[in-house]
Short mmCIF file of all heavy atoms in Angstrom, two decimals:
data_model
loop_
_atom_site.label_atom_id
_atom_site.label_comp_id
_atom_site.label_asym_id
_atom_site.label_seq_id
_atom_site.Cartn_x
_atom_site.Cartn_y
_atom_site.Cartn_z
N MET D 10 -101.02 74.45 137.57
CA MET D 10 -102.43 74.28 137.29
C MET D 10 -103.22 75.55 137.62
O MET D 10 -104.15 75.92 136.91
CB MET D 10 -102.94 73.08 138.09
CG MET D 10 -104.38 72.75 137.84
SD MET D 10 -104.58 72.07 136.20
CE MET D 10 -106.26 71.65 136.23
N ARG D 11 -102.85 76.16 138.73
CA ARG D 11 -103.55 77.38 139.14
C ARG D 11 -103.42 78.48 138.09
O ARG D 11 -104.39 79.19 137.79
CB ARG D 11 -102.99 77.83 140.49
CG ARG D 11 -103.65 79.08 141.02
CD ARG D 11 -103.16 79.38 142.43
NE ARG D 11 -103.73 80.63 142.87
CZ ARG D 11 -103.01 81.72 143.13
NH1 ARG D 11 -101.70 81.68 143.04
NH2 ARG D 11 -103.59 82.82 143.52
N ASN D 12 -102.21 78.61 137.53
CA ASN D 12 -101.99 79.63 136.51
C ASN D 12 -102.83 79.38 135.26
O ASN D 12 -103.30 80.32 134.62
CB ASN D 12 -100.51 79.70 136.12
CG ASN D 12 -99.67 80.29 137.24
OD1 ASN D 12 -100.18 80.97 138.12
ND2 ASN D 12 -98.38 80.01 137.20
N LEU D 13 -103.02 78.12 134.92
CA LEU D 13 -103.83 77.77 133.76
C LEU D 13 -105.29 78.19 133.97
O LEU D 13 -105.93 78.76 133.08
CB LEU D 13 -103.75 76.27 133.49
CG LEU D 13 -104.59 75.75 132.32
CD1 LEU D 13 -104.14 76.39 131.02
CD2 LEU D 13 -104.50 74.24 132.25
N VAL D 14 -105.81 77.94 135.15
CA VAL D 14 -107.19 78.32 135.47
C VAL D 14 -107.34 79.83 135.42
O VAL D 14 -108.31 80.35 134.84
CB VAL D 14 -107.61 77.75 136.85
CG1 VAL D 14 -108.95 78.31 137.28
CG2 VAL D 14 -107.63 76.24 136.81
N ILE D 15 -106.39 80.53 135.98
CA ILE D 15 -106.43 82.00 135.96
C ILE D 15 -106.39 82.50 134.53
O ILE D 15 -107.14 83.40 134.14
CB ILE D 15 -105.29 82.59 136.81
CG1 ILE D 15 -105.51 82.29 138.29
CG2 ILE D 15 -105.16 84.09 136.58
CD1 ILE D 15 -104.35 82.64 139.19
N ALA D 16 -105.53 81.92 133.70
CA ALA D 16 -105.41 82.33 132.30
C ALA D 16 -106.72 82.08 131.56
O ALA D 16 -107.15 82.90 130.73
CB ALA D 16 -104.26 81.59 131.63
N MET D 17 -107.37 80.96 131.83
CA MET D 17 -108.64 80.65 131.17
C MET D 17 -109.73 81.63 131.59
O MET D 17 -110.53 82.08 130.76
CB MET D 17 -109.07 79.21 131.47
CG MET D 17 -108.21 78.18 130.78
SD MET D 17 -108.67 76.49 131.18
CE MET D 17 -110.30 76.41 130.49
N ILE D 18 -109.77 81.97 132.87
CA ILE D 18 -110.76 82.93 133.35
C ILE D 18 -110.53 84.29 132.70
O ILE D 18 -111.47 84.94 132.23
CB ILE D 18 -110.72 83.03 134.89
CG1 ILE D 18 -111.25 81.73 135.51
CG2 ILE D 18 -111.52 84.23 135.38
CD1 ILE D 18 -111.05 81.64 137.01
N VAL D 19 -109.29 84.72 132.62
CA VAL D 19 -108.96 85.99 132.00
C VAL D 19 -109.35 85.97 130.52
O VAL D 19 -109.93 86.94 130.00
CB VAL D 19 -107.46 86.33 132.17
CG1 VAL D 19 -107.06 87.51 131.31
CG2 VAL D 19 -107.16 86.60 133.64
N ALA D 20 -109.07 84.86 129.84
CA ALA D 20 -109.42 84.76 128.42
C ALA D 20 -110.93 84.87 128.23
O ALA D 20 -111.41 85.55 127.32
CB ALA D 20 -108.90 83.44 127.85
N TRP D 21 -111.70 84.19 129.08
CA TRP D 21 -113.16 84.26 128.97
C TRP D 21 -113.68 85.67 129.26
O TRP D 21 -114.62 86.14 128.62
CB TRP D 21 -113.83 83.24 129.90
CG TRP D 21 -113.87 81.88 129.27
CD1 TRP D 21 -113.12 80.80 129.59
CD2 TRP D 21 -114.72 81.47 128.19
NE1 TRP D 21 -113.43 79.75 128.78
CE2 TRP D 21 -114.41 80.12 127.90
CE3 TRP D 21 -115.69 82.10 127.41
CZ2 TRP D 21 -115.04 79.41 126.89
CZ3 TRP D 21 -116.32 81.39 126.40
CH2 TRP D 21 -116.00 80.06 126.15
N LEU D 22 -113.07 86.35 130.22
CA LEU D 22 -113.47 87.72 130.52
C LEU D 22 -113.19 88.64 129.34
O LEU D 22 -114.00 89.52 129.03
CB LEU D 22 -112.77 88.22 131.78
CG LEU D 22 -113.23 87.58 133.09
CD1 LEU D 22 -112.35 88.06 134.24
CD2 LEU D 22 -114.69 87.88 133.35
N ILE D 23 -112.05 88.44 128.69
CA ILE D 23 -111.73 89.25 127.51
C ILE D 23 -112.75 88.99 126.40
O ILE D 23 -113.24 89.93 125.76
CB ILE D 23 -110.30 88.95 127.04
CG1 ILE D 23 -109.28 89.50 128.05
CG2 ILE D 23 -110.05 89.52 125.64
CD1 ILE D 23 -107.87 89.05 127.82
N HIS D 24 -113.10 87.73 126.18
CA HIS D 24 -114.09 87.41 125.16
C HIS D 24 -115.45 88.01 125.49
O HIS D 24 -116.15 88.53 124.62
CB HIS D 24 -114.22 85.89 125.01
CG HIS D 24 -113.11 85.27 124.24
ND1 HIS D 24 -111.99 84.79 124.86
CD2 HIS D 24 -112.95 85.08 122.92
CE1 HIS D 24 -111.18 84.31 123.93
NE2 HIS D 24 -111.74 84.48 122.74
N LEU D 25 -115.83 87.96 126.74
CA LEU D 25 -117.10 88.53 127.17
C LEU D 25 -117.12 90.04 126.95
O LEU D 25 -118.09 90.59 126.43
CB LEU D 25 -117.37 88.21 128.64
CG LEU D 25 -118.67 88.74 129.22
CD1 LEU D 25 -119.87 88.17 128.49
CD2 LEU D 25 -118.74 88.43 130.70
N ALA D 26 -116.04 90.70 127.31
CA ALA D 26 -115.96 92.15 127.11
C ALA D 26 -116.04 92.49 125.62
O ALA D 26 -116.71 93.44 125.23
CB ALA D 26 -114.65 92.68 127.70
N TYR D 27 -115.40 91.69 124.78
CA TYR D 27 -115.46 91.94 123.34
C TYR D 27 -116.87 91.74 122.80
O TYR D 27 -117.36 92.54 122.00
CB TYR D 27 -114.48 91.01 122.62
CG TYR D 27 -114.45 91.21 121.13
CD1 TYR D 27 -114.00 92.41 120.57
CD2 TYR D 27 -114.89 90.21 120.26
CE1 TYR D 27 -113.98 92.61 119.21
CE2 TYR D 27 -114.87 90.40 118.89
CZ TYR D 27 -114.41 91.59 118.37
OH TYR D 27 -114.41 91.78 117.01
N LEU D 28 -117.56 90.70 123.25
CA LEU D 28 -118.93 90.47 122.81
C LEU D 28 -119.85 91.60 123.24
O LEU D 28 -120.73 92.03 122.48
CB LEU D 28 -119.44 89.13 123.34
CG LEU D 28 -118.86 87.90 122.65
CD1 LEU D 28 -119.33 86.63 123.36
CD2 LEU D 28 -119.23 87.86 121.18
N LEU D 29 -119.67 92.09 124.45
CA LEU D 29 -120.48 93.22 124.91
C LEU D 29 -120.21 94.47 124.08
O LEU D 29 -121.12 95.21 123.74
CB LEU D 29 -120.21 93.49 126.39
CG LEU D 29 -120.73 92.44 127.36
CD1 LEU D 29 -120.25 92.74 128.77
CD2 LEU D 29 -122.23 92.34 127.30
N SER D 30 -118.95 94.67 123.72
CA SER D 30 -118.59 95.81 122.88
C SER D 30 -119.26 95.69 121.51
O SER D 30 -119.80 96.67 120.99
CB SER D 30 -117.06 95.85 122.71
OG SER D 30 -116.69 96.76 121.72
N LEU D 31 -119.25 94.52 120.93
CA LEU D 31 -119.92 94.31 119.65
C LEU D 31 -121.42 94.55 119.74
O LEU D 31 -122.02 95.15 118.85
CB LEU D 31 -119.66 92.89 119.14
CG LEU D 31 -118.26 92.59 118.62
CD1 LEU D 31 -118.16 91.12 118.23
CD2 LEU D 31 -117.91 93.47 117.45
N ALA D 32 -122.02 94.10 120.83
CA ALA D 32 -123.46 94.29 121.00
C ALA D 32 -123.80 95.77 121.11
O ALA D 32 -124.79 96.23 120.52
CB ALA D 32 -123.94 93.55 122.24
N ARG D 33 -122.99 96.54 121.83
CA ARG D 33 -123.24 97.98 121.94
C ARG D 33 -123.09 98.67 120.59
O ARG D 33 -123.90 99.53 120.24
CB ARG D 33 -122.28 98.61 122.95
CG ARG D 33 -122.73 98.43 124.38
CD ARG D 33 -121.84 99.23 125.28
NE ARG D 33 -120.47 98.75 125.12
CZ ARG D 33 -119.64 98.47 126.10
NH1 ARG D 33 -119.99 98.67 127.33
NH2 ARG D 33 -118.43 98.01 125.87
N ARG D 34 -122.06 98.28 119.83
CA ARG D 34 -121.87 98.89 118.51
C ARG D 34 -123.03 98.55 117.58
O ARG D 34 -123.48 99.39 116.80
CB ARG D 34 -120.56 98.43 117.89
CG ARG D 34 -119.37 99.16 118.48
CD ARG D 34 -118.13 98.81 117.70
NE ARG D 34 -117.30 97.97 118.56
CZ ARG D 34 -116.22 97.33 118.14
NH1 ARG D 34 -115.85 97.40 116.89
NH2 ARG D 34 -115.52 96.61 118.99
N GLN D 35 -123.50 97.31 117.66
CA GLN D 35 -124.63 96.90 116.82
C GLN D 35 -125.88 97.70 117.18
O GLN D 35 -126.62 98.14 116.30
CB GLN D 35 -124.89 95.41 116.99
CG GLN D 35 -126.13 94.90 116.30
CD GLN D 35 -126.06 95.03 114.79
OE1 GLN D 35 -124.99 95.05 114.21
NE2 GLN D 35 -127.20 95.13 114.15
N GLN D 36 -126.10 97.90 118.47
CA GLN D 36 -127.27 98.67 118.91
C GLN D 36 -127.17 100.11 118.42
O GLN D 36 -128.15 100.68 117.92
CB GLN D 36 -127.36 98.64 120.43
CG GLN D 36 -128.58 99.35 120.97
CD GLN D 36 -128.64 99.29 122.49
OE1 GLN D 36 -127.64 99.01 123.16
NE2 GLN D 36 -129.80 99.55 123.04
N ARG D 37 -125.99 100.71 118.53
CA ARG D 37 -125.79 102.08 118.07
C ARG D 37 -126.01 102.18 116.55
O ARG D 37 -126.65 103.11 116.06
CB ARG D 37 -124.39 102.56 118.43
CG ARG D 37 -124.19 104.04 118.23
CD ARG D 37 -122.81 104.52 118.66
NE ARG D 37 -122.30 103.86 119.84
CZ ARG D 37 -121.10 103.28 119.92
NH1 ARG D 37 -120.29 103.29 118.89
NH2 ARG D 37 -120.71 102.71 121.04
N LEU D 38 -125.50 101.21 115.81
CA LEU D 38 -125.67 101.20 114.37
C LEU D 38 -127.15 101.08 114.00
O LEU D 38 -127.64 101.75 113.10
CB LEU D 38 -124.87 100.05 113.76
CG LEU D 38 -124.90 99.90 112.26
CD1 LEU D 38 -124.28 101.14 111.60
CD2 LEU D 38 -124.15 98.65 111.84
N HIS D 39 -127.87 100.25 114.73
CA HIS D 39 -129.31 100.08 114.48
C HIS D 39 -130.05 101.39 114.74
O HIS D 39 -130.93 101.78 113.97
CB HIS D 39 -129.86 98.96 115.35
CG HIS D 39 -131.33 98.74 115.19
ND1 HIS D 39 -131.86 98.16 114.07
CD2 HIS D 39 -132.36 99.03 116.00
CE1 HIS D 39 -133.17 98.11 114.20
NE2 HIS D 39 -133.50 98.63 115.36
N GLN D 40 -129.71 102.08 115.81
CA GLN D 40 -130.35 103.36 116.13
C GLN D 40 -130.06 104.40 115.06
O GLN D 40 -130.96 105.15 114.65
CB GLN D 40 -129.87 103.86 117.49
CG GLN D 40 -130.40 103.07 118.65
CD GLN D 40 -129.77 103.49 119.98
OE1 GLN D 40 -128.80 104.25 120.00
NE2 GLN D 40 -130.29 102.97 121.08
N GLU D 41 -128.83 104.46 114.59
CA GLU D 41 -128.48 105.43 113.55
C GLU D 41 -129.21 105.12 112.25
O GLU D 41 -129.66 106.03 111.54
CB GLU D 41 -126.97 105.45 113.33
CG GLU D 41 -126.22 106.08 114.48
CD GLU D 41 -124.72 106.05 114.28
OE1 GLU D 41 -124.26 105.68 113.17
OE2 GLU D 41 -124.00 106.40 115.23
N ALA D 42 -129.35 103.84 111.91
CA ALA D 42 -130.08 103.46 110.70
C ALA D 42 -131.54 103.86 110.82
O ALA D 42 -132.15 104.33 109.85
CB ALA D 42 -129.95 101.96 110.47
N GLU D 43 -132.10 103.71 112.01
CA GLU D 43 -133.50 104.09 112.24
C GLU D 43 -133.66 105.61 112.10
O GLU D 43 -134.64 106.10 111.50
CB GLU D 43 -133.95 103.63 113.62
CG GLU D 43 -135.41 103.84 113.91
CD GLU D 43 -136.33 103.01 113.03
OE1 GLU D 43 -135.89 101.97 112.51
OE2 GLU D 43 -137.49 103.42 112.86
N GLU D 44 -132.72 106.38 112.63
CA GLU D 44 -132.77 107.84 112.50
C GLU D 44 -132.69 108.25 111.03
O GLU D 44 -133.42 109.15 110.59
CB GLU D 44 -131.63 108.48 113.28
CG GLU D 44 -131.79 108.41 114.78
CD GLU D 44 -130.58 108.96 115.51
OE1 GLU D 44 -129.77 109.68 114.89
OE2 GLU D 44 -130.43 108.65 116.71
N LEU D 45 -131.82 107.61 110.27
CA LEU D 45 -131.70 107.93 108.86
C LEU D 45 -132.98 107.58 108.10
O LEU D 45 -133.40 108.30 107.20
CB LEU D 45 -130.51 107.19 108.25
CG LEU D 45 -129.14 107.72 108.63
CD1 LEU D 45 -128.05 106.80 108.11
CD2 LEU D 45 -128.94 109.13 108.12
N ARG D 46 -133.60 106.46 108.47
CA ARG D 46 -134.85 106.08 107.82
C ARG D 46 -135.94 107.12 108.08
O ARG D 46 -136.66 107.52 107.17
CB ARG D 46 -135.32 104.71 108.32
CG ARG D 46 -136.55 104.18 107.60
CD ARG D 46 -137.08 102.93 108.27
NE ARG D 46 -137.52 103.16 109.63
CZ ARG D 46 -138.69 103.74 109.96
NH1 ARG D 46 -139.52 104.16 109.03
NH2 ARG D 46 -139.03 103.89 111.22
N ARG D 47 -136.04 107.58 109.32
CA ARG D 47 -137.03 108.61 109.67
C ARG D 47 -136.75 109.92 108.92
O ARG D 47 -137.67 110.58 108.44
CB ARG D 47 -137.03 108.87 111.17
CG ARG D 47 -137.62 107.73 111.97
CD ARG D 47 -137.64 108.07 113.44
NE ARG D 47 -137.96 106.89 114.23
CZ ARG D 47 -137.46 106.62 115.41
NH1 ARG D 47 -136.60 107.46 115.98
NH2 ARG D 47 -137.80 105.53 116.05
N LEU D 48 -135.48 110.30 108.84
CA LEU D 48 -135.11 111.51 108.12
C LEU D 48 -135.49 111.40 106.64
O LEU D 48 -136.04 112.33 106.06
CB LEU D 48 -133.61 111.77 108.26
CG LEU D 48 -133.05 112.99 107.53
CD1 LEU D 48 -133.70 114.26 108.05
CD2 LEU D 48 -131.55 113.04 107.69
N LEU D 49 -135.22 110.26 106.05
CA LEU D 49 -135.58 110.05 104.65
C LEU D 49 -137.09 110.14 104.45
O LEU D 49 -137.56 110.73 103.48
CB LEU D 49 -135.05 108.71 104.18
CG LEU D 49 -135.30 108.35 102.72
CD1 LEU D 49 -134.64 109.38 101.81
CD2 LEU D 49 -134.81 106.96 102.41
N GLU D 50 -137.85 109.57 105.38
CA GLU D 50 -139.31 109.65 105.28
C GLU D 50 -139.77 111.11 105.33
O GLU D 50 -140.64 111.51 104.56
CB GLU D 50 -139.97 108.87 106.40
CG GLU D 50 -139.93 107.38 106.22
CD GLU D 50 -140.55 106.63 107.40
OE1 GLU D 50 -140.99 107.29 108.37
OE2 GLU D 50 -140.60 105.40 107.34
N ARG D 51 -139.18 111.90 106.23
CA ARG D 51 -139.55 113.31 106.34
C ARG D 51 -139.20 114.07 105.06
O ARG D 51 -139.96 114.91 104.59
CB ARG D 51 -138.88 113.96 107.54
CG ARG D 51 -139.63 113.73 108.83
CD ARG D 51 -139.06 114.57 109.94
NE ARG D 51 -138.37 113.66 110.84
CZ ARG D 51 -137.20 113.88 111.42
NH1 ARG D 51 -136.57 115.01 111.24
NH2 ARG D 51 -136.66 112.99 112.20
N LEU D 52 -138.04 113.76 104.50
CA LEU D 52 -137.63 114.45 103.27
C LEU D 52 -138.53 114.09 102.11
O LEU D 52 -138.84 114.93 101.26
CB LEU D 52 -136.18 114.11 102.94
CG LEU D 52 -135.11 114.72 103.84
CD1 LEU D 52 -133.74 114.18 103.50
CD2 LEU D 52 -135.13 116.24 103.72
N GLU D 53 -138.98 112.84 102.06
CA GLU D 53 -139.87 112.42 100.99
C GLU D 53 -141.26 113.06 101.12
O GLU D 53 -141.92 113.29 100.12
CB GLU D 53 -139.99 110.91 100.96
CG GLU D 53 -138.72 110.21 100.48
CD GLU D 53 -138.81 108.70 100.57
OE1 GLU D 53 -139.72 108.19 101.26
OE2 GLU D 53 -137.97 108.03 99.96
N GLN D 54 -141.67 113.33 102.34
CA GLN D 54 -143.00 113.90 102.57
C GLN D 54 -143.00 115.41 102.48
O GLN D 54 -144.07 116.03 102.39
CB GLN D 54 -143.53 113.48 103.94
CG GLN D 54 -143.81 112.00 104.04
CD GLN D 54 -144.20 111.58 105.43
OE1 GLN D 54 -144.22 112.40 106.34
NE2 GLN D 54 -144.49 110.31 105.62
N ALA D 55 -141.84 116.04 102.48
CA ALA D 55 -141.77 117.50 102.44
C ALA D 55 -142.28 118.00 101.09
O ALA D 55 -142.02 117.39 100.06
CB ALA D 55 -140.33 117.95 102.66
N PRO D 56 -143.01 119.13 101.12
CA PRO D 56 -143.50 119.69 99.85
C PRO D 56 -142.33 120.18 99.01
O PRO D 56 -141.37 120.74 99.50
CB PRO D 56 -144.38 120.86 100.30
CG PRO D 56 -144.01 121.14 101.70
CD PRO D 56 -143.41 119.90 102.27
N ARG D 57 -142.46 119.95 97.72
CA ARG D 57 -141.40 120.35 96.80
C ARG D 57 -141.82 121.61 96.07
O ARG D 57 -142.98 121.77 95.72
CB ARG D 57 -141.12 119.25 95.81
CG ARG D 57 -140.62 118.01 96.51
CD ARG D 57 -140.34 116.90 95.56
NE ARG D 57 -140.03 115.71 96.34
CZ ARG D 57 -139.30 114.73 95.89
NH1 ARG D 57 -138.81 114.77 94.68
NH2 ARG D 57 -139.05 113.68 96.65
N PRO D 58 -140.89 122.50 95.82
CA PRO D 58 -141.22 123.77 95.14
C PRO D 58 -141.57 123.57 93.67
O PRO D 58 -141.26 122.69 93.02
CB PRO D 58 -139.97 124.62 95.27
CG PRO D 58 -138.89 123.72 95.77
CD PRO D 58 -139.51 122.45 96.23
#
């Protein structure tokens, strides 16, 4: 029984670590999308020859 509890705790910790990893990647992706949007706005506002 003790081994089962330990295995369940380890499984939950692995799932938690994976969810945190996904959240960090999502945040990074959102920041990069925002940077690209700002860059596009600057390029659109730049005077054209």
Side-chain angles (χ1 to χ4, degrees):
M10 183 70 175
R11 180 173 176 245
N12 289 340
L13 178 62
V14 172
I15 292 171
M17 289 178 64
I18 291 171
V19 169
W21 278 107
L22 290 174
I23 290 169
H24 283 92
L25 180 61
Y27 181 65
L28 287 174
L29 290 173
S30 169
L31 287 177
R33 278 188 300 227
R34 282 188 251 171
Q35 173 65 26
Q36 183 180 18
R37 191 177 322 128
L38 182 62
H39 178 72
Q40 289 172 351
E41 289 178 8
E43 186 66 23
E44 288 175 18
L45 287 173
R46 185 188 63 78
R47 289 182 191 144
L48 178 61
L49 182 60
E50 285 178 358
R51 277 189 251 139
L52 288 173
E53 289 175 345
Q54 293 174 358
R57 298 180 187 206

